[in-house]
Amino acid sequence: MAERKLARLFDVRRVIGGLFVVYGLIVTLIGVLDGPSELEKAQGVRINLWMGLGMLALGLLMLLWLRLNPPPEPADPPAETADREV
Amino acid sequence: MTGLRLDVGFVDYLILAIYFVTVLGVGFAARRAIKSSADFFLSGRSMPAWVTGLAFISANLGALEIVGMAANGAQYGLMTLHYYWIGAVPAMVFLGIVMMPFYYGSKVRSVPEFLRLRFNRPTHLFNAVSFAVAQVLIAGVNLYALALILQALLGWQLWTSIVVGAVIVLSYIVLGGLSAAIYNEVLQFFVIIAGLLPITIIGLVKVGGIDGLFEKVRQSPLGEAGLHTWADTGGTENPLGASWIGIVFGLGFVLSFGYWTTNFAEVQRALSAKDMSAARRTPIIGAFPKLLIPAVTVIPGLIALVTVQGLGAAEGDLTYNNAIPLLMRDLLPNGVLGVAVTGLVASFMAGMAANVSGFNTVFTYDIWQAYIRKDRDDAYYVRVGRIATIAGIVVGIGTAFIAAGFDNIMNYIQALFSLFNAPLFATFIVGMFWKRMSAWAGFWSLFLGFLAAFVLYILHLTEVLKFNSDLEQSFWGAGLAFVVAVVVALLITPFTPGKPDDELRGLVYGLDSSTGDVLTADRVWWRNPVLLGVIAVVLAIILYIPVW
């Protein structure tokens, strides 16, 4: 049961949120540092900056959702044995 | 091969490496949750609908699909949208509203198992074995395609790429089973969208927005015809070479319903949902992103058509299949480039993981447990599942090298697979709605439908029969298989005993199958599968209007 709870810590929202916060920070940083040649390649769009901020926002939203609506407690044992009749 | 080589830098590799670490971490985390075979193969039937819905669409969003649909966008223009709208949405909604109550309600663990309950063991074995073989072959093709793209874009050795890809997929599925596969599918859905979006944005800026793009397409060899979906379909004088009858019945009905409603690699995602309501919503939730994915596949295809000089060469770096890689090379600066590379790699791995997790479930439950070693304890079958995963991937690596020997293996396997799905769908749909259909009618309908399509395919390969294209052949093959399967079912049923009603309860239409207990919280409108399904279909129709 304890292990099950531990596993629930890895809610998919936490995984997505974590990855996108990291990606968002990296890509935003690159975007701030982008020079003229990068801007020229991207047709003048500060694409790294915008995508970085976008990914950061998605990551934070996922984490916020997790905070506001945490995963339910592990299901009761009877519910789990129910679909074990094979 | 240096023409496609991307200018990847340290930061791009960092982004790719972080993804690999995350994916493996998910595998280790999911391992802790696995207590039984249902946990390993069906995620313990615990997933919320938005997770299974995104996994459902993600299992379909393999890189072959992305790269291929962008290629079709460049080659056929907006008619490619048919693959996303009429060719997917109605079938997904039908699966959720009509078929899911039978699948989920009967507590089956796989599509072949449903056939065993509805028909008999020979039907079950035939389907289980052919499905398992097809999944391993397709996993191999995915692996090979991943290696090819890593070689072209990053300059990795083919052999290194195949082993790295296989080891990562192997690790997370052996560790985490279906849970790990599903988590990673949801994750890769967001990564691939984040990776492709910059291509569309920068590409549209370059060509002067949607209006500029359409104007340039009009001046391209594709011309005005490339901007319409239905307008020229009275005959076959259009880029796709298909009439509206072919599009509606061939693509929209037989091929699409066959793929979406009976392909276990898809259906398995819904079976892992936490309750009936979530299972029914799974494919319908998947339909909403499906409506919008053309924005990051078909649109880039058109952008490539008008911005890449000489695109559409028969071979070399400028084939249609390289539309997306070429745009990545031309438009993406380091940073988003890393995200795009990661997205492509992730989607190859997700496609392969979907095949492998479908394979290990069917192999363990439907072949090993049903015919070889019955009545062992549950832990034994989890072990078998893990060994089957390893064996499946090793054989997949082997088939990847076989695939390397053919030019056009993708087309062949796609064709074979769609031919195999069409008779299955016919057998299913007749069996679900006609309770009199007998057990042996099920077997012969499935077998002869498959055989008819197979013979047609061989005649096509040996050029005894001539078709305009592989596409046309697969349409006729699927149509023939469907008709043969239905006719055989109707002919054999009167001569063979039917199954008693009691054995069919919950499996066929009209014998009180409950649609599950509706939880109070699920009575709200945004959790109503029928309403959501209608909204998805209406949206598809509205989206067609400006590109009529």
Side-chain angles (χ1 to χ4, degrees):
Chain A
M1 231 34 193
E3 280 178 337
R4 219 158 216 287
K5 240 173 211 162
L6 201 62
R8 300 253 161 178
L9 277 177
F10 287 87
D11 188 285
V12 71
R13 290 169 291 182
R14 183 160 316 189
V15 179
I16 298 169
L19 185 74
F20 272 80
V21 166
V22 173
Y23 276 8
L25 290 175
I26 294 175
V27 175
T28 306
L29 185 67
I30 299 288
V32 171
L33 300 177
D34 268 348
S37 68
E38 283 84 4
L39 278 179
E40 192 195 353
K41 192 176 185 189
Q43 310 295 315
V45 185
R46 294 206 74 101
I47 193 71
N48 276 324
L49 187 62
W50 293 116
M51 284 307 296
L53 291 174
M55 288 193 284
L56 189 59
L58 175 71
L60 291 174
L61 272 178
M62 282 284 166
L63 295 178
L64 182 70
W65 182 14
L66 182 68
R67 172 68 63 88
L68 295 179
N69 188 3
E73 286 297 299
D76 298 332
E80 273 179 48
T81 44
D83 48 28
R84 196 63 15 86
E85 23 79 354
V86 192
Chain B
M1 287 304 272
T2 50
L4 277 175
R5 184 73 58 82
L6 301 175
D7 184 19
V8 280
F10 168 75
V11 66
D12 303 310
Y13 271 116
L14 178 68
I15 288 171
L16 186 61
I18 291 173
Y19 186 78
F20 285 156
V21 170
T22 310
V23 159
L24 290 178
V26 168
F28 278 105
R31 180 183 168 83
R32 298 179 171 172
I34 292 177
K35 282 284 186 288
S36 71
S37 67
D39 286 339
F40 187 76
F41 295 114
L42 293 173
S43 297
R45 295 189 200 264
S46 62
M47 294 280 177
W50 73 273
V51 172
T52 53
L54 287 181
F56 186 89
I57 203 62
S58 211
N60 165 253
L61 199 63
L64 284 180
E65 161 94 7
I66 289 166
V67 168
M69 284 300 156
N72 285 349
Q75 193 169 359
Y76 305 120
L78 292 183
M79 287 190 85
T80 309
L81 294 171
H82 290 315
Y83 286 97
Y84 289 91
W85 297 344
I86 192 168
V89 172
M92 294 164 87
V93 170
F94 183 83
L95 173 64
I97 293 178
V98 179
M99 292 178 74
M100 198 49 71
F102 301 113
Y103 275 135
Y104 196 88
S106 61
K107 296 263 183 223
V108 294
R109 298 163 301 185
S110 69
V111 168
E113 189 173 8
F114 184 90
L115 289 172
R116 180 169 62 79
L117 296 179
R118 175 60 186 87
F119 300 111
N120 54 17
R121 284 182 169 267
T123 320
H124 171 248
L125 186 62
F126 174 71
N127 181 243
V129 170
S130 47
F131 176 83
V133 170
Q135 290 303 299
V136 169
L137 285 178
I138 295 172
V141 172
N142 262 316
L143 193 55
Y144 177 64
L146 167 69
L148 271 188
I149 212 152
L150 287 178
Q151 186 188 39
L153 300 186
L154 306 180
W156 292 13
Q157 290 291 317
L158 208 57
W159 178 223
T160 318
S161 309
I162 288 182
V163 171
V164 169
V167 165
I168 291 178
V169 172
L170 179 74
S171 315
Y172 76 72
I173 296 184
V174 168
L175 289 169
L178 186 64
S179 295
I182 287 183
Y183 271 38
N184 282 315
E185 277 164 7
V186 176
L187 192 60
Q188 81 89 13
F189 174 82
F190 288 103
V191 176
I192 190 80
I193 298 298
L196 292 176
L197 210 50
I199 299 180
T200 303
I201 295 172
I202 300 174
L204 282 179
V205 168
K206 184 169 181 178
V207 298
I210 280 281
D211 291 338
L213 176 65
F214 281 12
E215 193 48 48
K216 288 194 170 66
V217 171
R218 281 191 194 97
Q219 289 155 15
S220 75
L222 197 55
E224 180 71 25
L227 299 175
H228 293 282
T229 49
W230 293 105
D232 309 315
T233 57
T236 54
E237 291 292 309
N238 54 56
L240 208 56
S243 71
W244 67 271
I245 304 176
I247 294 169
V248 172
F249 293 101
L251 178 64
F253 184 63
V254 178
L255 283 177
S256 156
F257 277 65
Y259 174 79
W260 291 102
T261 64
T262 60
N263 180 3
F264 179 54
E266 292 290 339
V267 173
Q268 188 177 29
R269 271 73 201 147
L271 292 183
S272 67
K274 65 184 160 74
D275 54 40
M276 172 69 86
S277 165
R280 295 183 75 194
R281 274 179 284 137
T282 294
I284 299 172
I285 288 173
F288 289 94
K290 187 76 182 169
L291 285 168
L292 299 177
I293 288 171
V296 291
T297 55
V298 180
I299 296 294
L302 287 177
I303 291 170
L305 176 73
V306 301
T307 60
V308 180
Q309 286 286 320
L311 186 74
E315 53 188 27
D317 292 335
L318 291 173
T319 58
Y320 285 120
N321 272 329
N322 285 334
I324 293 252
L326 285 165
L327 291 178
M328 285 165 62
R329 181 196 66 182
D330 291 346
L331 301 177
L332 298 186
N334 297 111
V336 286
L337 180 63
V339 181
V341 170
T342 304
L344 272 189
V345 171
S347 74
F348 273 112
M349 296 199 312
M352 184 179 168
N355 299 328
V356 171
S357 55
F359 164 79
N360 68 21
T361 308
V362 166
F363 179 83
T364 306
Y365 279 152
D366 294 295
I367 297 176
W368 199 263
Q369 189 179 31
Y371 298 99
I372 298 174
R373 288 275 183 279
K374 298 170 194 172
D375 305 324
R376 296 295 186 86
D377 58 21
D378 203 55
Y380 172 81
Y381 294 111
V382 176
R383 254 191 335 271
V384 170
R386 290 203 161 106
I387 294 168
T389 306
I390 296 171
I393 288 182
V394 170
V395 176
I397 293 178
T399 59
F401 282 100
I402 297 174
F406 291 86
D407 286 343
N408 213 350
I409 188 101
M410 252 74 97
N411 273 354
Y412 293 156
I413 289 209
Q414 294 278 9
L416 272 179
F417 197 49
S418 69
L419 299 186
F420 161 75
N421 273 340
L424 181 59
F425 171 61
T427 308
F428 248 91
I429 206 74
V430 177
M432 261 184 190
F433 288 95
W434 188 35
K435 66 176 179 170
R436 172 69 185 84
M437 184 175 175
S438 69
W440 279 104
F443 175 77
W444 288 112
S445 131
L446 193 60
F447 182 70
L448 292 176
F450 171 77
L451 200 64
F454 190 69
V455 167
L456 191 73
Y457 183 64
I458 296 293
L459 291 179
H460 167 61
L461 281 191
T462 53
E463 299 190 356
V464 175
L465 284 176
K466 292 258 190 257
F467 292 94
N468 288 332
S469 63
D470 288 347
L471 193 79
E472 197 199 8
Q473 192 280 330
S474 68
F475 163 51
W476 281 104
L480 179 72
F482 184 84
V483 170
V484 168
V486 170
V487 169
V488 168
L490 295 178
L491 287 181
I492 291 191
T493 294
F495 302 103
T496 43
K499 295 190 84 158
D501 281 4
D502 277 345
E503 289 183 21
L504 295 179
R505 217 162 283 284
L507 301 174
V508 299
Y509 191 76
L511 288 175
D512 63 16
S513 68
S514 75
T515 42
D517 305 323
V518 180
L519 303 170
T520 330
D522 285 341
R523 290 215 184 94
V524 290
W525 67 268
W526 68 86
R527 288 184 178 166
N528 181 331
V530 178
L531 186 66
L532 288 175
V534 171
I535 293 175
V537 171
V538 170
L539 276 178
I541 294 170
I542 292 175
L543 283 171
Y544 265 127
I545 293 173
V547 291
W548 173 262

